Amino acid sequence: EPEVTQTPSHQVTQMGQEVILRCVPISNHLYFYWYRQILGQKVEFLVSFYNNEISEKSEIFDDQFSVERPDGSNFTLKIRSTKLEDSAMYFCASSRDRVMGQPQHFGDGTRLSIL
Amino acid sequence: ELKVEQNPLFLSMQEGKNYTIYCNYSTTSDRLYWYRQDPGKSLESLFVLLSNGAVKQEGRLMASLDTKARLSTLHITAAVHDLSATYFCAVDSPNTGNQFYFGTGTSLTVIP
């Protein structure tokens, strides 16, 4: 079964550094998402992306965050200047479309640790 | 903001017992999703409920949706240890775009 794949699985970064998290969505999916989950807490929406542009974003997704689809397969989340509170598990998800409630398929996540 | 509440937050149950997890949400929606998460792992889609009265079953798990009450239930029948995980419900709504709003999660431990 097709999967969403994320790299790296674990990223350790110094505070203030830039970090890029990478995702390869399922190939025939059109909608892409980033979520984060702080340890022990619920999953929180960051941003959704369709047709090469952001379609929705949450309050968490401030100017420090950006997303990009640099080629036909990768979908990236960049955090420009990381803060301690950015430490979390980041999940990429994709869905085929948004008609009639398609489930979002999640990758295994990238654990981001900010020191 | 759309709010999604689950209860209980923690559930410890013996093998063979039945129990129900509840998911309440705060806005009109007829789309409700259940996910399972094992420790340190991703979210696995369990059920997609798309209408009032929808009921879906897979093995020992059965999910239902009452859109009028804004309530979904995940019923566990004759629990086994393999069901130990955290279960999340999620809601999306035409009024809030296509982002999922996740519940607080229910951490289930099945004791042999």
Side-chain angles (χ1 to χ4, degrees):
Chain A
E1 189 178 318
E3 292 181 337
V4 176
T5 57
Q6 289 185 243
T7 55
S9 56
H10 192 190
Q11 174 83 43
V12 181
T13 303
Q14 291 287 335
M15 187 172 60
Q17 296 295 305
E18 175 183 286
V19 66
I20 297 175
L21 310 182
R22 292 183 166 80
C23 169
V24 179
I26 295 173
S27 61
N28 64 345
H29 285 188
L30 301 178
Y31 288 85
F32 315 122
Y33 314 85
W34 284 101
Y35 290 83
R36 80 171 185 192
Q37 185 181 31
I38 295 171
L39 186 63
Q41 298 187 23
K42 68 179 179 181
V43 179
E44 300 174 290
F45 170 78
L46 294 178
V47 65
S48 62
F49 192 86
Y50 171 70
N51 202 26
N52 283 321
E53 60 183 25
I54 291 173
S55 49
E56 283 111 13
K57 60 181 181 179
S58 70
E59 290 177 356
I60 303 168
F61 194 87
D62 62 22
D63 292 344
Q64 293 299 313
F65 291 87
S66 62
V67 289
E68 196 176 40
R69 192 139 196 255
D71 54 44
S73 58
N74 288 287
F75 177 51
T76 62
L77 174 69
K78 182 193 292 187
I79 309 174
R80 255 180 282 280
S81 177
T82 49
K83 303 188 277 286
L84 292 175
E85 54 264 38
D86 293 328
S87 295
M89 183 75 99
Y90 288 80
F91 290 107
C92 173
S94 69
S95 63
R96 199 171 68 221
D97 52 48
R98 49 188 289 195
V99 175
M100 291 303 293
Q102 292 294 318
Q104 294 178 14
H105 298 265
F106 286 76
D108 284 345
T110 293
R111 181 168 297 285
L112 178 61
S113 300
I114 307 300
L115 305 179
Chain B
E1 181 184 311
L2 196 161
K3 293 198 185 318
V4 185
E5 303 274 348
Q6 285 180 240
N7 72 83
L9 297 182
F10 298 94
L11 176 58
S12 181
M13 57 191 295
Q14 285 191 310
E15 278 191 334
K17 298 293 188 185
N18 304 333
Y19 208 83
T20 301
I21 298 170
Y22 297 88
C23 172
N24 289 90
Y25 53 96
S26 65
T27 195
T28 302
S29 176
D30 56 5
R31 300 200 293 253
L32 193 293
Y33 311 82
W34 282 97
Y35 285 85
R36 168 185 171 140
Q37 185 182 37
D38 291 294
K41 301 291 187 183
S42 186
L43 295 105
E44 174 192 354
S45 178
L46 293 175
F47 299 109
V48 178
L49 303 168
L50 298 177
S51 61
N52 185 38
V55 177
K56 290 205 174 168
Q57 181 161 6
E58 180 76 33
R60 299 172 189 275
L61 300 177
M62 183 173 72
S64 66
L65 178 62
D66 180 344
T67 59
K68 290 182 172 44
R70 298 179 185 173
L71 170 69
S72 179
T73 61
L74 181 66
H75 187 72
I76 303 153
T77 303
V80 293
H81 181 67
D82 285 352
L83 290 179
S84 297
T86 299
Y87 293 84
F88 290 95
C89 62
V91 177
D92 67 356
S93 165
N95 300 326
T96 57
N98 56 341
Q99 61 178 288
F100 277 12
Y101 290 86
F102 279 85
T104 43
T106 296
S107 177
L108 171 66
T109 303
V110 180
I111 304 164

